[in-house]
Amino acid sequence: MANGNDPILLTPGPLTTSLATRQAMLRDWGSWDAAFNAITTSIRKDLLDVVRGEGTHECVPLQGSGTFSVEAALANLVPRDGKVLVPQNGPYCQRIVKILGYLGRAHAAIDMPEDQHPTAAMLEAAFRADPSITHVAQVHLETGVGMLNPLEEIAGACERHGKGLIVDAMSAFGAVQIDLSRTAIDALVAASGKCIEGPPGMGFVIARRTALEKCGGNSHSLAMDLHDQWTYMQRTSQWRFTPPTHVVAALRAALDQFIAEGGTAARGARYRRNCDTLIEGMAALGFKSFLPRSVQAPVIATFHAPADPAYDFKTFYEKVRARGYILYPGKLTQAETFRVGCMGAIDASEMRNVVSAVAGTLKDMGIRHVAPRAAA
Amino acid sequence: MANGNDPILLTPGPLTTSLATRQAMLRDWGSWDAAFNAITTSIRKDLLDVVRGEGTHECVPLQGSGTFSVEAALANLVPRDGKVLVPQNGPYCQRIVKILGYLGRAHAAIDMPEDQHPTAAMLEAAFRADPSITHVAQVHLETGVGMLNPLEEIAGACERHGKGLIVDAMSAFGAVQIDLSRTAIDALVAASGKCIEGPPGMGFVIARRTALEKCGGNSHSLAMDLHDQWTYMQRTSQWRFTPPTHVVAALRAALDQFIAEGGTAARGARYRRNCDTLIEGMAALGFKSFLPRSVQAPVIATFHAPADPAYDFKTFYEKVRARGYILYPGKLTQAETFRVGCMGAIDASEMRNVVSAVAGTLKDMGIRHVAPRAAA
């Protein structure tokens, strides 16, 4: 990597964006001006189209990181006397539990290991045991390890039992098909800097209109009052408070490229090729994947750290970085791992290159035992 | 204005930034990477230096618009059993009152007209009448009309009576001198997209360390938990949740230019020349300023709408826009006005040009009576 050039981000957002997307940030926009309002309106429509929400749902963008939008969705769509069930298999599920604690909303978790996923039967047992549950909050793609939770199965159970469903689809939106015309979801949350490949800086909630209409007065916060943001935007086509104009303009450019690539099907297929290429290459070096392929989402892969005493993550990270790729630390408590993102404006050739960078690093560090310590 | 060229933003943020600032957004950054962490750390230090807060205060950045940071400052720094006095002379003061309502914090307002400002005597009378007041929340520069409130006088009254002071310095920070080593302020709030001339997308709270240390557990919100953001950042030099990396990098570039220009003194002087040039030019056309010069902040000027029946704001706005300048509507309820920003990467020649664009528009619209309707 020549001096002055930037490494490729193999991280689950922020990720490597295209030059066309970044160049869209070279212009300043007036947040009150009709030209900018038209961008906001078109983004809201196109994000809704990604998940077939036209007619039933509304897209409400919100300033801040994706977590701000997750908190806003929970605070607005769960009434103050509601109770939320959280099937919990990773750090982003834990974050939802933490948010519900801040909000003072009653909640219960079904805890499970990070390599297992919830089932309809689990949810139904919980509904029977506690009829006061009104909502389920589910992470679609647990970025903690890269686990794809079975969204349609969960949505089916919620629908049969009349429970609301709020989905943190942060790392899935745009890469994994979600069809709101066939899957009963009250609110789907994602952000600009994930699989749509925009820069980070705004999130959005795609909420069922009938649920949104009822949620005035629920919010704990002015800044995160989704109902207020929505009604103001409907009336004026403007944001209530200063929007991140450059990020919004770049998201517009990113959406144009997303549509031109062929939408979720094409983007998901590219990420799947990236992920397969990566996992095969890493397996050939001796790395063991944390997840079985059946639940491995095509967005980020988690690998066990090598057993070799010559391995330490910091050195490994820095040497791979010097070869042009930024990896991501593991987010597990129980096993030592690291993560490699497969998302962003990258293709399978980058994945072959990162495997080669990892191979060179192993040699450099004198790591011979690449398989993990235990029979994990 | 040639097709494809952008108009200059004469709006109180987002504003026209320099090309160097926007070009800083052409790079992607890993939010976990040491190179990005170094940017975050240096921005926190340099923002603190702008107001001489080294040693006593801490800069805590937060994702979202400036309002998110105002809400975070109020929610974290005012204990749940505190009571906030709000001297209220404009829409951003009203927003503080609204936030306090959401937070369920006890509060009282001193309401006054938009062209008047609070005094130490007013505050002291309120403190005597209600000893349960623990804090004052004050807007430094009311962007609603461009009023500069007397911050040092207010801080003096708070200090003498042992009241905490939280200042929304959104449009003042970087253009009006604030010296935390001489003025007793618990928290000062501003944002990336104002007088430092970065893009919008993040705010920051400069809080007294001893106040920050005590505020754990106060926050109503995970996303806006300033204490948690601060302690995590101190420990890791990272943001808790995905930062708007491109905005942060551009703010770094904007700060470099701010320092090179000569800091607050030089920037304030440039804005003052912009403002004087504008007001003199507009006065020569017959426009009446809303504020007397003594309280006119050098950031945004408010003008009364012409009395002429041929005037309507929408047409006026569009015709000035076609000549290359984006104005801003008034934010007053009692008088018809419009606003012209004097901030951003612009100088007095832009101000002469906008006066010329306004003159051409008046002629075009057949507006002869430029003075306002009443003897306002």
Side-chain angles (χ1 to χ4, degrees):
Chain A
M1 189 176 59
N3 190 22
N5 276 357
D6 287 324
I8 298 287
L9 303 180
L10 300 179
T11 58
L15 35 70
T16 289
T17 63
S18 75
L19 183 59
T21 295
R22 281 172 275 137
Q23 280 175 335
M25 293 189 276
L26 287 176
R27 298 176 66 184
D28 293 318
W29 296 88
S31 59
W32 195 84
D33 198 57
F36 182 76
N37 295 343
I39 295 180
T40 298
T41 302
S42 76
I43 284 177
R44 293 178 63 203
K45 183 191 172 304
D46 287 353
L47 290 173
L48 209 54
D49 284 352
V50 171
V51 289
R52 300 198 57 194
E54 323 88 275
T56 54
H57 287 66
E58 294 278 349
C59 176
V60 188
L62 189 70
Q63 296 94 331
S65 81
T67 295
F68 287 61
S69 284
V70 172
E71 180 171 324
L74 292 167
N76 281 263
L77 292 160
V78 179
R80 297 208 175 194
D81 59 355
K83 180 166 184 178
V84 185
L85 178 69
V86 187
Q88 196 280 96
N89 62 346
Y92 293 91
C93 303
Q94 284 167 16
R95 191 176 288 175
I96 287 177
V97 172
K98 199 169 179 180
I99 290 170
L100 291 167
Y102 273 85
L103 297 177
R105 291 289 193 286
H107 58 280
I110 308 176
D111 292 313
M112 62 198 91
E114 283 157 319
D115 56 355
Q116 286 176 32
H117 64 70
T119 62
M122 275 184 207
L123 265 67
E124 288 176 334
F127 296 158
R128 274 192 302 272
D130 184 354
S132 71
I133 291 167
T134 58
H135 289 75
V136 170
Q138 177 68 58
V139 173
H140 187 189
L141 197 167
E142 238 308 344
T143 324
V145 291
M147 161 73 84
L148 191 63
N149 286 317
L151 186 57
E152 289 177 22
E153 181 180 338
I154 289 160
C158 290
E159 193 177 19
R160 283 192 299 280
H161 293 262
K163 311 296 183 188
L165 176 60
I166 296 170
V167 178
D168 171 350
M170 211 56 68
S171 305
F173 189 95
V176 179
Q177 288 286 2
I178 303 169
D179 184 342
L180 294 177
S181 73
R182 298 157 54 101
T183 312
I185 296 173
D186 282 310
L188 199 66
V189 188
S192 57
K194 301 288 181 178
C195 303
I196 300 296
E197 299 181 4
M202 61 161 275
F204 51 91
V205 180
I206 293 181
R208 196 192 296 279
R209 192 181 301 125
T210 51
L212 209 46
E213 280 164 353
K214 281 188 300 192
C215 77
N218 283 349
S219 183
H220 62 317
S221 154
L222 172 65
M224 290 197 260
D225 191 333
L226 215 58
H227 182 265
D228 195 37
Q229 180 93 329
W230 175 55
T231 52
Y232 185 87
M233 223 171 234
Q234 293 292 98
R235 199 169 66 242
T236 63
S237 73
Q238 293 165 35
W239 299 56
R240 284 179 309 161
F241 311 130
T242 306
T245 44
H246 303 79
V247 170
V248 172
L251 177 60
R252 176 64 269 166
L255 267 167
D256 290 341
Q257 295 160 65
F258 173 81
I259 294 163
E261 183 174 354
T264 303
R267 182 142 303 177
R270 172 160 62 84
Y271 288 2
R272 175 60 71 193
R273 283 191 302 276
N274 289 354
C275 194
D276 289 348
T277 305
L278 173 74
I279 288 175
E280 282 154 28
M282 294 292 277
L285 296 179
F287 282 97
K288 187 170 159 52
S289 296
F290 180 80
L291 288 181
R293 292 296 272 270
S294 59
V295 292
Q296 171 66 59
V299 163
I300 187 160
T302 300
F303 298 99
H304 284 280
D308 202 299
Y311 174 85
D312 79 285
F313 177 70
K314 198 170 180 311
T315 311
F316 181 71
Y317 173 91
E318 276 164 12
K319 286 185 176 287
V320 176
R321 187 192 195 285
R323 288 173 163 85
Y325 294 93
I326 290 194
L327 306 179
Y328 215 60
K331 206 166 184 162
L332 292 165
T333 43
Q334 290 166 7
E336 199 189 345
T337 57
F338 64 89
R339 292 181 286 174
V340 187
C342 311
M343 65 212 287
I346 52 174
D347 63 15
S349 68
E350 295 291 359
M351 294 294 145
R352 282 186 287 270
N353 295 347
V354 72
V355 169
S356 153
V358 167
T361 300
L362 291 175
K363 202 173 164 193
D364 222 35
M365 291 176 70
I367 295 169
R368 289 151 163 264
H369 297 96
V370 178
R373 204 157 290 141
Chain B
M1 189 176 59
N3 190 22
N5 276 358
D6 287 323
I8 299 285
L9 303 180
L10 299 179
T11 58
L15 35 69
T16 288
T17 62
S18 75
L19 184 58
T21 295
R22 283 172 275 137
Q23 279 174 335
M25 293 189 276
L26 287 176
R27 299 177 65 185
D28 293 317
W29 297 88
S31 59
W32 194 85
D33 198 57
F36 182 75
N37 295 344
I39 295 180
T40 299
T41 302
S42 76
I43 284 177
R44 291 178 63 203
K45 183 191 172 303
D46 287 352
L47 289 173
L48 209 54
D49 284 351
V50 172
V51 288
R52 302 198 55 196
E54 323 87 276
T56 53
H57 287 66
E58 294 278 349
C59 175
V60 189
L62 189 71
Q63 298 94 331
S65 81
T67 295
F68 287 61
S69 285
V70 172
E71 180 171 325
L74 293 167
N76 281 264
L77 292 160
V78 179
R80 296 207 176 196
D81 59 356
K83 181 167 185 177
V84 185
L85 177 70
V86 187
Q88 196 281 98
N89 63 346
Y92 293 91
C93 302
Q94 284 167 16
R95 190 176 287 176
I96 287 177
V97 172
K98 199 169 178 179
I99 289 171
L100 291 167
Y102 272 85
L103 297 177
R105 291 288 193 288
H107 57 279
I110 308 176
D111 292 313
M112 64 198 88
E114 282 155 320
D115 56 355
Q116 286 176 34
H117 64 72
T119 62
M122 275 186 207
L123 265 66
E124 287 174 335
F127 296 157
R128 276 192 301 273
D130 183 355
S132 71
I133 291 167
T134 58
H135 290 75
V136 170
Q138 178 67 57
V139 174
H140 187 188
L141 197 166
E142 239 308 345
T143 325
V145 292
M147 161 72 83
L148 191 62
N149 285 317
L151 186 57
E152 289 176 21
E153 181 180 339
I154 289 160
C158 291
E159 193 177 22
R160 284 194 297 280
H161 293 263
K163 312 297 184 187
L165 175 60
I166 296 170
V167 178
D168 171 351
M170 211 56 68
S171 304
F173 189 94
V176 179
Q177 289 285 3
I178 303 169
D179 184 342
L180 293 177
S181 74
R182 299 156 55 100
T183 312
I185 295 174
D186 282 311
L188 199 66
V189 188
S192 56
K194 301 288 180 180
C195 302
I196 301 294
E197 300 182 2
M202 61 162 275
F204 51 90
V205 180
I206 293 180
R208 196 191 296 277
R209 192 183 299 123
T210 51
L212 208 45
E213 280 164 352
K214 283 188 300 193
C215 76
N218 282 351
S219 182
H220 62 316
S221 155
L222 172 65
M224 290 196 260
D225 190 332
L226 215 58
H227 182 265
D228 195 38
Q229 179 93 328
W230 175 55
T231 52
Y232 185 88
M233 221 169 235
Q234 293 292 96
R235 200 169 65 242
T236 64
S237 72
Q238 293 165 35
W239 299 55
R240 285 179 308 160
F241 310 129
T242 305
T245 44
H246 302 80
V247 171
V248 172
L251 177 60
R252 177 65 269 167
L255 266 167
D256 290 341
Q257 295 161 64
F258 173 81
I259 293 163
E261 183 173 354
T264 303
R267 183 144 303 178
R270 172 160 61 84
Y271 288 2
R272 175 59 70 194
R273 284 191 301 276
N274 289 354
C275 194
D276 289 348
T277 306
L278 173 74
I279 288 175
E280 281 154 28
M282 293 292 276
L285 295 180
F287 283 96
K288 185 169 162 51
S289 295
F290 180 79
L291 288 181
R293 290 297 271 273
S294 58
V295 292
Q296 171 66 58
V299 163
I300 188 161
T302 300
F303 298 98
H304 284 280
D308 201 299
Y311 174 85
D312 79 286
F313 177 70
K314 197 170 181 311
T315 310
F316 182 71
Y317 173 91
E318 275 163 14
K319 285 184 177 288
V320 176
R321 188 193 194 285
R323 287 173 165 84
Y325 294 93
I326 290 194
L327 306 179
Y328 215 60
K331 207 167 183 162
L332 293 166
T333 43
Q334 290 166 7
E336 198 188 347
T337 58
F338 63 92
R339 291 181 286 173
V340 187
C342 311
M343 65 211 288
I346 52 174
D347 63 15
S349 69
E350 295 291 358
M351 294 294 146
R352 281 185 286 271
N353 294 346
V354 72
V355 170
S356 152
V358 166
T361 300
L362 292 174
K363 201 172 165 194
D364 222 35
M365 290 176 70
I367 296 169
R368 289 152 163 266
H369 297 98
V370 177
R373 201 157 294 141

